[in-house]
Amino acid sequence: MMDNDIYSVIDNAKITKFQRRLAVTAALGPFTDAFNEFGSSVALIAVGIIFHLPAYLVAIALGAYWAGVAGGGILGGVISDRIGRRYLFLYDTIGMALFAILSAVSANYLEFFITRLGLGIFIGVDYAAAIPLLAEYSPSKQRGKLLSTEKLFFMFGTLATVLIGLGLTIDVGSLLAWRYDFLIAAVPALILFGLRFDMPASLRWAKKNGKKELIPKILKKLKKEGINIDPETITLEKQKGILGNAKEFFNRKNIRAIVYIFWIGAAYSLTVNLASVYASPELVSLGASSTTAVLGSFIIDLIGTVGVVITLLIVDKLGRRKMGTYGFMLGAIPMAILFIAAEMHLMSIPLLIIMFGIFFLINVGFVGTLQYLPAAEVSTTRSRGLAVGWEKLFEFGLALPMLTLYAIIGLKYSLLFDVIMSIVAGIIFYFVSFETKSKTLEQNAKYAVDMGHQSNKAPETEKE
C-alpha cells in the first residue's frame, strides 16, 4: 500500500482547528525569530556606541545570530529526523527564552556575540522541527497556505519588535531600547512551551522510523481532532539512522531537489538583508532621528506584510515556481530606482522608505514566504528536517558575509549588487525549481527523484 493511501485522510482533509492550532504554534517560532532578528535593527544603532565598535565588528556581532540559525538548522534537522519533531518542537523553546534574556543583559562585545550565536542555534533547531511537523499534517491543496503562516507570523513579530522598539526608543532612548526588546523576545518562547505540549508527534515520521509505541498515542490524539486513520493500514518501516537519513537526501537522484532548496535559501539571503537590517542605520545616515528611523523600518515591514498576505492567499493557486520567479525579478525595480537616486544625489528619507517598502512587498512577500515550502515539500519524511536545515544553512549562513559586505561597500554599491543579484536569482530559480502545489508530500518526493534520475540518465548511459 502506498503512503499516500495511508495518509489520504490527512492529505484530503479540510483545514480545521487542529491544523490552524498547529500552524499557529509552529509559526510562533518564526515570530520569536523576528523579534530577535529585527531587534537587531534597533540594536544596530546602539551596540557600536556602547561597546565602542567599528561598523564591521557590529555587523559581525549581529551576524552571529544568523550564523547560529544556520548551524542550528542543520543540527536540528539531523536530530529532528532521528528522534522526531515533537521533542525538539517542545523543548527548544527553553533555549530560545534563555539566550534572548542573556543577550539582553550582555555587558561586553564577547558576551553579546556568544549569546546571539547561542540564540540563533536554538531558533534554527526550532525551524527544523516545526516546519516538517506542520507539513506532515497539512492537506495537500492548502499546504502552501498553512506553511505560509510561518512567514506571516514572522512579519507579525517584525512589526511588533519594531513598534515596541519605537516606543522604547522614545521612552528610554536608543542606547537601552534594544535590551528591553530582547528581554521581551523571551516571552513568546516561554508561552510556546505551554502551547506545544498537546501537539501530537508526526504520524509520517513514526511510521517511517518503526515507532510502534507512538502510533496508538498519535492516532488517539488525531481521533479527538476528527482525523480517523485505521491502524491496520499502517505498516511500520525500519529506522535508517542518521547516516541513512542523510544518504536519502544527499544522493545523485535527488540533485534537483538539493539545488532547488539550496538556491531559494541562498538567493533570498543574497537579496533581502540590505533592506531587512540596514534600513534604520541608513535612514539615520540620511539625517533621520533614531525615532524616525525606527518608524521608517516599521512602515517598510508593514508594506512587506501585505506581500506575505497576498502570497498566503494565492500561493496554492498560482504555484511556487511563478511566485518565486516574479518575486526575485520584480524586486530589482525598486532597488534600481534607489541606486539611480544615490548616483544622482537625490536620495531622501521618504524615497528610501517607499522603495524599501515596495521591495519588501515583492521580495519578502513572494520569495520570503515561499522559502518555507520547498524543503518541506520535495524531501522525504526521513530527511525533511535535514532539508529544512539545508535551506537555513544558506539563508542564514550567507547573512553574516552579506552584512559585512554591505558595511564595507556602502549603500550605493550595495543597491547595485541587489539589482544584479535579484535578476540573476530569478533566472536561476526558474530553471532549478519545479511545481509542487496540490501534490502529496510523497508524490513530490518521488517526482524530485524522478527528475534527478532523468538529469543523470545520459551520463550513466555514456558510462555504460
Side-chain angles (χ1 to χ4, degrees):
M1 181 177 288
M2 297 293 292
D3 284 350
N4 188 40
D5 295 325
I6 297 169
Y7 308 124
S8 60
V9 176
I10 296 173
D11 294 333
N12 297 318
K14 293 182 179 180
I15 294 180
T16 64
K17 290 181 180 179
F18 167 65
Q19 288 93 345
R20 292 192 186 97
R21 191 165 66 250
L22 177 56
V24 170
T25 55
L28 283 173
F31 180 89
T32 305
D33 175 22
F35 239 100
N36 289 284
E37 186 174 334
F38 283 82
S40 298
S41 184
V42 180
L44 199 59
I45 301 173
V47 169
I49 298 172
I50 295 173
F51 298 144
H52 309 290
L53 304 173
Y56 75 92
L57 279 182
V58 176
I60 290 174
L62 296 178
Y65 173 80
W66 281 268
V69 178
I74 285 290
L75 175 64
V78 171
I79 298 173
S80 173
D81 291 331
R82 182 64 178 84
I83 71 170
R85 315 343 179 163
R86 186 179 179 275
Y87 295 107
L88 294 182
F89 188 61
L90 177 61
Y91 293 107
D92 62 32
T93 57
I94 299 174
M96 289 159 61
L98 175 63
F99 276 91
I101 294 170
L102 291 176
S103 64
V105 298
S106 300
N108 54 56
Y109 175 76
L110 182 60
E111 288 182 14
F112 186 72
F113 181 91
I114 292 174
T115 55
R116 298 309 291 167
L117 179 66
L119 177 61
I121 290 172
F122 278 99
I123 292 288
V125 168
D126 191 70
Y127 275 115
I131 293 175
L133 185 62
L134 178 57
E136 287 162 5
Y137 279 122
S138 295
S140 300
K141 293 183 179 180
Q142 295 175 296
R143 189 172 53 242
K145 179 180 181 179
L146 287 170
L147 286 171
S148 295
T149 307
E150 297 271 305
K151 192 63 176 184
L152 182 63
F153 272 72
F154 181 93
M155 295 307 295
F156 287 162
T158 299
L159 294 172
T161 191
V162 174
L163 193 60
I164 291 171
L166 174 61
L168 290 171
T169 299
I170 296 172
D171 187 40
V172 302
S174 61
L175 298 184
L176 282 176
W178 64 278
R179 292 190 184 275
Y180 288 101
D181 201 64
F182 288 149
L183 281 173
I184 295 170
V187 175
L190 291 172
I191 293 173
L192 264 182
F193 183 72
L195 292 177
R196 289 180 172 180
F197 253 107
D198 199 40
M199 290 295 109
S202 168
L203 179 61
R204 280 181 159 95
W205 179 87
K207 175 192 179 301
K208 285 290 183 180
N209 289 275
K211 299 298 181 181
K212 184 178 181 180
E213 72 284 359
L214 274 181
I215 299 297
K217 298 177 183 178
I218 295 172
L219 295 184
K220 184 178 179 180
K221 284 191 174 184
L222 292 179
K223 187 175 182 179
K224 289 181 180 179
E225 302 293 346
I227 300 174
N228 296 297
I229 297 177
D230 184 359
E232 297 298 323
T233 64
I234 301 174
T235 303
L236 298 178
E237 300 178 32
K238 291 183 179 180
Q239 193 172 54
K240 285 189 173 183
I242 292 176
L243 185 59
N245 293 340
K247 286 182 177 180
E248 193 160 302
F249 182 68
F250 293 111
N251 65 78
R252 288 185 66 189
K253 291 182 179 180
N254 203 41
I255 189 65
R256 182 71 174 268
I258 293 171
V259 174
Y260 178 19
I261 295 168
F262 150 75
W263 186 244
I264 193 168
Y268 183 60
S269 185
L270 291 171
T271 54
V272 74
N273 284 304
L274 175 62
S276 66
V277 177
Y278 278 95
S280 290
E282 290 301 341
L283 287 169
V284 170
S285 71
L286 289 172
S289 65
S290 296
T291 302
T292 302
V294 176
L295 180 59
S297 295
F298 177 80
I299 294 171
I300 293 167
D301 296 333
L302 185 61
I303 297 172
T305 304
V306 174
V308 175
V309 173
I310 292 172
T311 301
L312 185 147
L313 294 174
I314 68 174
V315 67
D316 287 313
K317 298 177 182 178
L318 184 61
R320 291 60 159 141
R321 196 178 194 191
K322 288 182 180 178
M323 292 210 70
T325 303
Y326 294 155
F328 280 121
M329 300 286 281
L330 294 176
I333 297 174
M335 292 311 213
I337 292 173
L338 284 176
F339 172 74
I340 294 170
E343 184 70 20
M344 299 179 68
H345 305 288
L346 297 174
M347 186 70 73
S348 66
I349 292 172
L351 181 65
L352 186 69
I353 292 173
I354 293 170
M355 288 301 111
F356 269 7
I358 294 173
F359 174 80
F360 254 37
L361 186 145
I362 298 168
N363 184 279
V364 173
F366 292 2
V367 178
T369 310
L370 192 72
Q371 75 184 96
Y372 295 92
L373 277 64
E377 292 188 318
V378 303
S379 52
T380 63
T381 298
R382 287 195 182 97
S383 65
R384 192 160 287 119
L386 178 59
V388 172
W390 176 248
E391 189 273 331
K392 295 303 171 190
L393 176 65
F394 298 99
E395 178 199 343
F396 285 89
L398 287 172
L400 177 57
M402 288 311 303
L403 292 175
T404 307
L405 175 66
Y406 291 144
I408 294 172
I409 67 177
L411 177 62
K412 184 174 75 170
Y413 292 107
S414 296
L415 289 167
L416 179 61
F417 175 88
D418 262 26
V419 171
I420 297 171
M421 193 65 241
S422 294
I423 296 171
V424 172
I427 294 171
I428 296 177
F429 179 85
Y430 179 79
F431 286 104
V432 302
S433 63
F434 50 93
E435 193 51 65
T436 56
K437 68 174 183 177
S438 300
K439 299 184 182 74
T440 69
L441 295 175
E442 288 71 31
Q443 287 171 339
N444 282 327
K446 184 178 183 302
Y447 183 62
V449 170
D450 289 343
M451 293 186 72
H453 180 71
Q454 290 173 9
S455 65
N456 289 322
K457 189 174 182 180
E460 289 174 359
T461 301
E462 291 172 2
K463 185 177 180 180
E464 290 175 359

